[in-house]
Amino acid sequence: MGATGRIGRMLFRQWAAAPPAGVRLIAQSRREGPGLLAWDPLDPAIPVRADVIFGFAGVVPRDGVDAGLNVDLGVAAVRMAQAAGARRVILASSSAVYGPGASMDEDHPCRPVNAYGAAKLEMERTVVGADVEVCCLRIGNVAWADALLGRMVPGQRVTLDRFADGAGPVRSYIGPRTLAAVLETLAHAPAPLPPVLNLAAPGPVTMEALLRASGAEWGWQPAPGAAVQNVTLDCGRLAALHRFRADASAAGVLIAEGQGLKDPA
């Protein structure tokens, strides 16, 4: 679900290039298109049978959009799984449920600071405990679908916040190819997944390193008072399920993973 969103498009480009063995992938969109199942997730008439549902349909933070729709879409994914006979639903939540912090694990208190994070947290609380297995992925940043790399315009200078310690923002990231591999692992996991799971490559990355690796033209600006320096995740539970490459969180790898998968500039 959500195959035509920014993350969904990258995932299906990856799976088209390297199809998972023995799996039939069905890409859902509300709009018709080649290879797409055209279906509105809020429509109760479910048109398919499925084993695992990936729920990546959602709305992102921006003016004029009701973030509460993320709750409805999460519920729709669970309803679809029940009607389709699925054994597992893997839902895209967000690290925004936590608010600022460093090395936050799944037991860290959730104190979202915006409507998007609050809606994702409400979605988790609404769907967990359904009569189908649900795992909500608290995703950090997906390279090339994020607010930094995903919004870069060729030839346009990027400014990065510099904090009082002289450093810039630090975030948890994952590359789109690694994300696809993690989702395959979670889909095939024999044991039940935890109801919530942090999702990012094992180590945090500085946004400065990403910009240097991308070759973008950029510079510093003083961080405004409301700027957040650290939002990083402890992904130890995920690492126990999926074997990451040792360099999965390296800035150069994150940049390279978007080649051929990110939307054209």
Side-chain angles (χ1 to χ4, degrees):
M1 297 173 63
T4 56
R6 182 172 286 184
I7 295 176
R9 291 193 298 271
M10 290 196 295
L11 287 171
F12 268 85
R13 287 168 189 152
Q14 169 63 17
W15 283 325
V23 171
R24 181 190 174 208
L25 294 168
I26 301 173
Q28 174 274 332
S29 172
R30 287 177 296 170
R31 303 185 301 274
E32 299 212 3
L36 294 174
L37 168 68
W39 174 68
D40 185 338
L42 302 182
D43 183 343
I46 310 299
V48 295
R49 300 290 292 176
D51 180 51
V52 176
I53 304 292
F54 291 128
F56 275 75
V59 297
V60 296
R62 63 176 184 264
D63 293 338
V65 176
D66 179 12
L69 184 59
N70 286 308
V71 181
D72 298 331
L73 290 169
V75 171
V78 171
R79 187 183 67 236
M80 181 182 188
Q82 293 166 331
R87 63 183 172 84
R88 176 172 294 161
V89 183
I90 298 174
L91 277 178
S93 185
S94 170
S95 61
V97 301
Y98 293 117
S103 299
M104 297 178 287
D105 66 13
E106 291 86 350
D107 296 323
H108 191 278
C110 291
R111 300 189 180 96
V113 297
N114 55 36
Y116 176 74
K120 286 293 191 179
L121 183 59
E122 183 182 352
M123 179 201 74
E124 291 182 4
R125 291 170 173 170
T126 301
V127 300
V128 170
D131 59 359
V132 62
E133 181 189 322
V134 179
C135 178
C136 296
L137 303 178
R138 292 173 172 174
I139 304 172
N141 292 276
V142 179
W144 300 106
D146 60 308
L148 179 67
L149 302 174
R151 295 179 183 174
M152 287 198 309
V153 177
Q156 181 174 310
R157 182 179 173 83
V158 178
T159 56
L160 194 64
D161 291 338
R162 175 178 265 165
F163 293 85
D165 62 359
V170 182
R171 298 290 186 267
S172 288
Y173 265 81
I174 191 166
R177 287 191 170 88
T178 302
L179 174 60
V182 168
L183 292 177
E184 292 174 38
T185 295
L186 297 179
H188 291 293
L193 299 175
V196 295
L197 191 62
N198 287 347
L199 197 159
V205 63
T206 67
M207 289 189 170
E208 175 186 354
L210 287 173
L211 289 174
R212 292 189 188 281
S214 73
E217 182 181 350
W218 68 282
W220 295 107
Q221 68 178 11
V228 174
Q229 187 168 15
N230 289 288
V231 183
T232 62
L233 303 174
D234 179 333
C235 294
R237 294 182 193 179
L238 178 62
L241 296 169
H242 178 82
R243 186 172 183 176
F244 284 91
R245 285 176 42 175
D247 60 355
S249 57
V253 171
L254 293 167
I255 295 298
E257 283 202 21
Q259 303 307 315
L261 299 182
K262 65 185 180 72
D263 292 338

